[in-house]
């Protein structure tokens, strides 16, 4: 496993568990580069003053925060070091709750927590307690100069910490304009469509087809110097006017697909 990105202590009640933190996920997105048009050499970024456009050397740059519009205050390494050390290296559990009470919109990024040497027993005790109660710990933790709300829960035999947004970081959605009256048959038909398309969640059956196709196109251009023309797209269907007709047809199709899928599973078994 990679090097830990954080080390500290899980604290709940009078119990402390020293742990190390590791990233549990990684992004597979493609990263594009800016290149010079003539010879495709990479283009770098130059730091300049926003008011004059003049180049600024790295040793002339400091960190700061905007305390009010157009007014900044510098933060030195010494200033950052004065932050509460106990706070920045402690996962303080505030409450234990049911995970079903947490809306997924709050979750940000997942990290594995593994015990420091000698802390295996209290680590296992906390893991077992969470598994048996079905609870998750709601905690506060500081990672890279930002405090996060976090959920501490068991996963695949280890403790998983998922950072979360605070309530005031969640933007409120705009309301849906227009008054629309839903008829009972329409709702029942839409529900039937959802039920017909329902299945157990199996993450391995979903993959990033966009990334695969884009990589194939880039490889083709690298080898041939061009990308082949796309296949002629089928004519788009006109706007659906009869919503109920579209729902009925969708329900009928999903029923047939469900029957074929069930038949294949029976033959396979």
């Amino acid at each position: 496993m990679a090097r830990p990105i954080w080390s500290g202590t899980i604290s709940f009640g009078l119990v402390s568990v020293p742990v190390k933190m590791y990233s549990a996920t990684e992004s597979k997105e493609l990263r594009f580069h800016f290149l010079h048009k003539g010879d495709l050499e990479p283009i770098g970024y130059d730091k300049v003053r926003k008011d004059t456009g003049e180049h600024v050397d790295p040793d002339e740059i400091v960190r700061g925060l905007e305390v009010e519009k157009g007014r900044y205050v510098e933060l030195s390494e010494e200033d950052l070091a004065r932050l509460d050390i106990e706070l920045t290296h402690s996962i303080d559990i505030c409450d234990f709750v049911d995970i079903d009470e947490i809306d997924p919109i709050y979750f940000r990024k997942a990290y594995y927590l593994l015990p420091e040497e000698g802390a295996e027993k209290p680590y296992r005790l906390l893991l077992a307690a969470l598994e048996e109660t079905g609870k998750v710990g709601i905690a506060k933790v500081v990672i890279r100069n930002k405090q996060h709300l976090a959920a501490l829960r068991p996963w695949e035999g280890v403790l998983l910490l998922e950072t979360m947004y605070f309530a005031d970081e969640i933007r409120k959605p705009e309301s849906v304009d227009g008054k629309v009256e839903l008829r009972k048959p329409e709702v029942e038909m839409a529900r039937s469509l959802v039920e017909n398309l329902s299945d157990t969640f199996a993450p391995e059956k979903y993959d990033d087809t966009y990334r695969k196709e884009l990589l194939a196109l880039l490889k083709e251009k690298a080898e041939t110097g061009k990308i082949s023309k796309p296949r002629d797209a089928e004519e788009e269907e006109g706007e659906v006017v009869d919503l109920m007709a579209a729902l009925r047809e969708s329900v009928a199709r999903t029923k047939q697909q469900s029957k074929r899928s069930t038949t294949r599973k029976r033959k396979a078994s």
Side-chain angles (χ1 to χ4, degrees):
M1 184 172 285
R3 293 175 60 186
I5 63 171
W6 182 95
S7 62
T9 303
I10 302 173
S11 300
F12 62 106
L14 298 177
V15 180
S16 295
V17 186
V19 292
K20 293 180 180 180
M21 179 184 292
Y22 302 83
S23 291
T25 58
E26 61 177 336
S27 175
K28 295 289 187 177
E29 66 197 41
L30 297 177
R31 299 186 180 276
F32 295 95
H33 300 270
F34 287 105
L35 310 172
H36 191 275
K37 187 176 182 179
D39 55 8
L40 301 185
E41 282 298 312
I43 300 297
Y45 288 93
D46 187 22
K47 291 184 170 61
V48 300
R49 289 180 59 107
K50 289 187 176 181
D51 57 348
T52 64
E54 296 177 356
H55 167 80
V56 181
D57 292 329
D59 57 0
E60 293 294 320
I61 298 174
V62 297
R63 253 189 310 196
L65 286 173
E66 188 174 23
V67 292
E68 57 186 59
K69 189 66 175 178
R71 184 182 169 213
Y72 298 87
V73 60
E74 178 185 347
L75 278 176
S76 66
E77 292 298 328
E78 291 75 16
D79 294 329
L80 294 174
R82 289 185 60 187
L83 294 174
D84 189 344
I85 298 302
E86 293 300 321
L87 178 66
T88 59
H89 290 277
S90 178
I91 299 171
D92 296 314
I93 298 178
C94 308
D95 300 292
F96 290 98
V97 304
D98 293 326
I99 194 168
D100 292 340
E101 297 176 359
I102 307 172
D103 192 286
I105 195 174
Y106 284 95
F107 292 120
R108 301 183 71 152
K109 183 173 174 58
Y111 299 91
Y112 293 128
L113 296 179
L114 299 181
E116 293 274 15
E117 186 176 353
E120 291 83 3
K121 186 169 184 178
Y123 179 94
R124 288 292 177 188
L125 283 172
L126 176 57
L127 182 63
L130 293 176
E131 288 175 336
E132 291 190 12
T133 61
K135 299 287 186 179
V136 298
I138 299 300
K140 290 182 180 180
V141 58
V142 175
I143 305 172
R144 294 168 181 161
N145 298 326
K146 184 188 187 312
Q147 188 177 57
H148 300 268
L149 195 63
L152 184 68
R153 65 186 181 89
W155 194 80
E156 298 289 333
V158 300
L159 289 175
L160 185 78
L161 184 88
E162 287 193 84
T163 56
M164 302 166 62
Y165 292 101
F166 286 101
D168 61 0
E169 294 180 302
I170 304 295
R171 294 178 177 176
K172 297 297 181 183
E174 295 183 9
S175 60
V176 179
D177 295 329
K179 294 182 179 180
V180 178
E181 185 177 346
L182 299 178
R183 293 182 294 159
K184 187 176 180 180
E186 293 174 334
V187 175
E188 291 178 348
M189 194 67 68
R191 186 182 65 191
S192 296
L193 179 58
V194 171
E195 290 174 348
N196 289 346
L197 290 172
S198 296
D199 201 352
T200 54
F201 178 60
E204 62 277 2
K205 80 176 184 180
Y206 310 103
D207 60 354
D208 189 346
T209 54
Y210 172 79
R211 182 167 62 94
K212 288 182 178 178
E213 292 176 8
L214 185 56
L215 281 172
L217 290 175
L218 293 173
K219 184 178 180 181
E220 179 186 0
K221 186 166 185 180
E223 294 175 350
T224 66
K226 61 180 181 180
I227 294 177
S228 57
K229 292 182 179 180
R231 296 189 300 268
D232 292 334
E234 298 180 2
E235 292 185 8
E236 294 185 2
E237 298 180 0
E239 182 181 353
V240 176
V241 177
D242 191 338
L243 179 60
M244 279 300 290
L247 284 171
R248 287 195 191 97
E249 183 177 353
S250 298
V251 170
R253 288 183 182 181
T254 54
K255 281 183 178 179
Q256 293 174 357
Q257 293 171 357
S258 179
K259 288 180 181 178
R260 288 196 292 267
S261 177
T262 302
T263 302
R264 285 196 298 268
K265 288 179 180 178
R266 286 175 179 172
K267 289 181 179 179
S269 59

